[in-house]
Amino acid sequence: MKIAIIGGGAAGFFAAINCKLNYPQHHITIYEKSKKTLSKVKVSGGGRCNVTNATFSIADLVKNYPRGNKALKKVFNQFNPKHTIEWFESRGIPLVTQHDNCIFPKSQQSQSFIDLFNAECKKLGIPIKTQHKLNSITKIDSDFELEFNDNEIIKADKVIVTIGGQPKLNGLEFLKDVGHQIINPLPSLFTFNMPNEPITKLMGIVVEHAIVKIQSTKLIDKGPLLVTHWGMSGPAILKLSAWGARILEDKNYNFNIQVNWVNETNSSVVENQIKDEIFKHGSKKVANQKIAHIPTRLWDFLLEKLKIDTQKRWSELSKKDVNKIINTLQNDVYKVEGKTTFKEEFVTAGGVDLNEVNFNTMQSKKVEGLYFAGEVLDVDGVTGGFNFQAAWSTGFVAAKLS
Ligand SMILES: Cc1cc2nc3c(=O)[nH]c(=O)nc-3n(C[C@H](O)[C@H](O)[C@H](O)COP(=O)(O)OP(=O)(O)OC[C@H]3O[C@@H](n4cnc5c(N)ncnc54)[C@H](O)[C@@H]3O)c2cc1C
């Protein structure tokens, strides 16, 4: 049987190798449009490749996928981070887990995975045909006819499509032609631009526990927040961008965010903290005695923004000043005007409609013998190794050809 794997990325290699292990007698070939394979693996995680995440409960794992969470349960029951660790470690790539649960190769080099995949393909006899861009798929009886860029036609019995996230709809046109619905592709995992907000002069400041909310939506997230020279970034912002990918695109990336710098939503708790400061440090100048874990430069910036005389002592603050401080610590509003794609990791939301794929097998419900894996699907995760985990898991399940 001839099996064509379309796309030489993470999902494509994983599907090809596992398929050959399942069916040694089948002829499996990877077709890749560019000159190089595994380009994203190479640059991933800043060149270190965050291969998966130590989230071992499937119920918790799926919470990291703004799109695809329910469907992915079915594949994670078959292949999840535990299996990923076993798969790579048993093939000679020891992995290490960071304090934030992100898992990397001990070598800290994404090249370790590339070398492994290439060596496995060589050992198993899986040819890799680069500069083969698939243009169309035609099903003739039970066979597939695949047309590549230079009009080369190849026949296959089964096809696994792993062409990754496509920034534009036309990259997915050939799937529409075989009857698949495509959810409009759009970026996920980006940072917020704030060209007119003076907070950018505090670039480099990190608040470990912030709550960020997008005004007039239900979008809210928490975690570390980083002030950059163009706006805001850090896990809290990236998660918000992923969960809000479609809503924020509708707003043309113009909206207000509300930052809670103290990770406390109850205003009486913050008020008590301030009363405590007044009680304990009433004679100290407000500028010299900050609240909670606010970085000093941020505290100075907020006081300046509130036009509070920093030379005043805590005991000299009026009730109005205290209320202004409480309100700013909990609901500090900034105007976002545009986005920047995160250089370390970005993904595409949208792709093949999940309703048209059987996630027990990754087979198309529209075309028998056609399978999908990886980011070509309308699946994406937040940062932390979740996107590769989805590629490994869907690739592993597709490779069963069930
Ligand atoms: C800079 C960066 C860093 C990242 N870091 C991480 C990380 O550390 N951890 C993590 O979990 N995720 C990370 N991601 C996301 C992760 O890389 C992707 O989710 C993952 O690569 C998806 O795998 P895939 O095989 O589906 O797609 P891809 O890796 O994109 O592979 C698809 C392949 O198909 C080829 N192709 C496309 N169209 C055709 C066609 N018509 N015919 C033939 N071939 C075609 C492409 O050239 C490509 O080689 C990162 C992404 C970026 C951009």
Side-chain angles (χ1 to χ4, degrees), residues 155-171:
K155 287 195 190 297
D157 298 283
K158 292 187 191 248
V159 179
I160 306 181
V161 175
T162 63
I163 59 169
Q166 301 288 317
K168 294 203 177 117
L169 255 184
N170 57 12

Side-chain angles (χ1 to χ4, degrees), residues 226-285:
L226 167 70
V227 177
T228 64
H229 68 270
W230 67 90
M232 286 180 190
S233 177
I237 298 290
L238 290 168
K239 278 192 271 172
L240 208 53
S241 79
W243 287 100
R246 219 158 276 287
I247 297 173
L248 302 182
E249 194 214 24
D250 287 347
K251 292 181 178 290
N252 204 16
Y253 307 106
N254 278 285
F255 52 89
N256 286 339
I257 68 161
Q258 224 167 293
V259 183
N260 182 322
W261 297 110
V262 284
N263 194 31
E264 176 55 69
T265 50
N266 186 338
S267 55
S268 43
V269 173
V270 182
E271 189 177 349
N272 284 339
Q273 261 182 298
I274 292 186
K275 280 186 183 155
D276 211 36
E277 291 303 329
I278 296 172
F279 181 70
K280 283 199 212 139
H281 307 288
S283 60
K284 280 201 177 166
K285 288 182 182 158

Side-chain angles (χ1 to χ4, degrees), residues 131-192:
Q131 292 179 283
H132 274 70
K133 177 177 185 282
L134 183 71
N135 285 334
S136 74
I137 301 183
T138 314
K139 181 113 199 240
I140 301 169
D141 302 325
S142 62
D143 281 356
F144 288 95
E145 231 176 55
L146 307 175
E147 194 206 320
F148 290 86
N149 36 342
D150 44 8
N151 299 328
E152 187 183 352
I153 299 209
I154 287 159
K155 287 195 190 297
D157 298 283
K158 292 187 191 248
V159 179
I160 306 181
V161 175
T162 63
I163 59 169
Q166 301 288 317
K168 294 203 177 117
L169 255 184
N170 57 12
L172 297 156
E173 211 62 52
F174 68 84
L175 294 173
K176 265 175 124 179
D177 294 343
V178 288
H180 269 281
Q181 284 230 75
I182 304 295
I183 309 293
N184 228 1
L186 77 166
S188 177
L189 295 180
F190 47 85
T191 64
F192 296 168

Side-chain angles (χ1 to χ4, degrees), residues 6-12 31-34 36-41 43-46 49-52 104 132-135 148 162-166 171 174 342-347 373-376 382 384-389 391:
I6 312 299
Y31 297 95
E32 162 60 43
K33 78 169 177 190
S34 56
K36 273 194 179 166
T37 56
L38 298 163
S39 314
K40 276 200 192 167
V41 172
V43 296
S44 64
C49 186
N50 181 188
V51 65
T52 185
F104 289 87
H132 274 70
K133 177 177 185 282
L134 183 71
N135 285 334
F148 290 86
T162 63
I163 59 169
Q166 301 288 317
F174 68 84
F342 189 44
K343 70 174 181 341
E344 294 292 302
E345 182 175 341
F346 57 88
V347 289
E375 220 183 294
V376 65
V382 297
F386 299 105
N387 285 298
F388 277 135
Q389 185 56 52

